[in-house]
Amino acid sequence: MTPEHTEPLNNEVVEAAPLEPALARAAWDAPGAVALRLAILFQIGVAQVFLDRLSRRTIYTATLSAEVLWLWAALLSCVLPVLIAVAGWFVARRLSGTRWANVSVRIENVLFGLIAASNIAVAMKSRLTLNWVVQVPFVIALGVLAGWCYGRFKSPRRVVPLMAPGLILVPLLFWGNVLRPLSGTEPVADPSRQASRPCPIVWIVLDEVSGVSLLNSNRELNPARVPNLAEFARQATYYRNATSVYPRTDHAVPAMLTGRYPRQIVPARAEHYPDNLFAQLRATGQFEAVIFEPLTVLAGTPREVNRERRVSLPLPQEFTSLATTMLAVWASDHLPFEQPFPLPEVPATWFGTRSYSGNRSDQNRGVFHYSWDIKRREQVRHFTRCVQPGDKPLFAFLHVALPHAPWIYTPEGKCLSSDLGAYQEPLAGGLGELEELWVANETVVAQQQQRYLWQLKYVDTLLGEVFARLRDVGMYDDALIVITGDHGVSFQGNHSRRVPDAQTLTDIMWVPLLIKRPGQTEGLVSDRNVETIDLWPTVADILGLPLAGRVEGVSLLDETQPERPLKRFHDERKELFVDGAFEERWTSLGEFLGRMGEQDDPRSIRQFMPLRNLLERPVAEFTTPPVGYQIAVRAPQTLDFDPASNSIPGAIRAELINPPASSQNLIIAVALNGQIVATARPFLNRELTPTLSVLIDPARFRTGENVIEWYQVVENLPKRQTISLAKIPPYVE
């Protein structure tokens, strides 16, 4: 008897359910796949961010021991990814086949959403200025959306495994950039490499000085602004077409001292640039060195540099300090400028600030690591005292953060504010994390440019002291003297003072370069295409020293070398090329002179003030009813002025408290001792508070007590032919 054969009803064909999509989903959600993706996401999205941020901080990492750096790298790039992967695998394995089977996938979605929200927060903070109430919910919403999309669509989860090499590359890069040099062997000196024409060398690198600001309408060094530099040029060669190759010190200075373009984005430390100028001169054994390095750590062997890392903290305490710092940096990078609670403080060493007290002012040889932004005048004068003959020719190198911000010095050397560091008081008109994006308020930007020019003139005075010292000790005639800058600076509203664009590139690229060869007595001017990478080859040529290592610069004394047709400038995003003749500089020079003039007249900024016809008029001419808001001034209402004091008033900043909604359209008049001396419009600072910045000519203050008052200018409608003043009362907490 055969089994009964049953036909499908109505000839219906029964097909097996498709298994491939279900199997594919099961494979992507398998414990091993989830664990791999979690490890990759953490390594790329978290560990890489923290390690990369740390590896770029030359001065800060120089204060840490090798042990704590190894421990931090191991924790972030090895221990935590493994723990997260194991946890994900364990959860997926134990909950497989239950109603909670998707928990591990949800964890993955949350991690992706957090990483996305973190990146969105950084991008928003660098481009937008939003308050806490708006930014935080917006970032959270976008992070949730990103996490949902990651779990909803297959493509992101399929792409993540392609980044698996990052599991190895992230710790490998940190090891190569930071950890490997700490355990490397010492470079072997080569006494066979000798300078055939050794001589005293004085090399001064000014910081954030634009070639635009040095010249007059005759395209000569302006004796009204830089008289000592102009006099020095009578016995030196002025390379009027010299340009930097990078807009930031940590790569501009190494390029100058190695003769190479800054292709490597690595910390400015000796272990990353073993063939720099300092190392090569030291290897000859022919020079006595005094080196002032406030922002780089290029002098000395890796082992000597590592001594600066050694701190007197136990390892657990040092690790806790590092972790606290990194969390504070993360909060500073991601959270809005204005928040309802105080952020943890980022240590000054993170920003390149060293301890001032660690340098002995009575020493005249060795390497000095002053903080870049504190007591800069004293740094130059310490260097000046170090210039004296010794048993061997002197190599004296000074890098000083002048005329770099903060702009506090007047041409006479008085201080407009305390010389206690760049981060003690925000830069008026500067927005963003580094205060480098100028506001659109033209008056504020012009004020800061005037302060820069005042400080530039005082820097020239300090250079004059160095030149006088060289003459006094009998070294001037036989010395090789180099005066240059690492990069320029721009003062244009709505543009960055440091990150170049088509409108500001000339201001940021163009730097001064003057070289006096031993025995040179006649001044020369050259418009040859010169870049700062040509400095070290030129100095080596003058000394008769064979170069070690690869260089891309050329000696400016070698007439056989063809002139470069183009200039190269590397910014943080791309490489820029400019015609070698650099004719754009003359256009920028004309704009600068038309804006600021040639004579450093403090009254030149008046052209940018609104309602200039009010200036010099007594307040008594106007009615002065009070307004309904207040003003908080970062200075007492009554200022005492002592002409003999090192500190003088003049730069004043204030914030409006509860002003009307259209506060940026207001015109505020500032009265000194009953007379109007300035007018200004408010601008929004990075906390979105209406802010005023005023620069008063120090000559306007009288000895003793001075009274400052603030008034809102009221243009009476409808014809606006009459003006009255409304007094703004001071804010009282």
Side-chain angles (χ1 to χ4, degrees), residues 534-566:
D534 298 326
L535 274 171
W536 171 222
T538 303
V539 169
D541 191 3
I542 294 173
L543 297 175
L545 177 65
L547 287 169
R550 178 181 61 88
V551 296
E552 295 172 289
V554 298
S555 170
L556 301 179
L557 305 183
D558 188 351
E559 301 292 341
T560 64
Q561 290 285 346
E563 189 171 343
R564 295 188 193 91
L566 297 173

Side-chain angles (χ1 to χ4, degrees), residues 571-584:
D571 72 1
E572 296 175 326
R573 297 161 296 180
K574 58 186 176 298
E575 188 176 38
L576 307 173
F577 294 89
V578 179
D579 182 71
F582 202 32
E583 293 297 328
E584 301 94 328

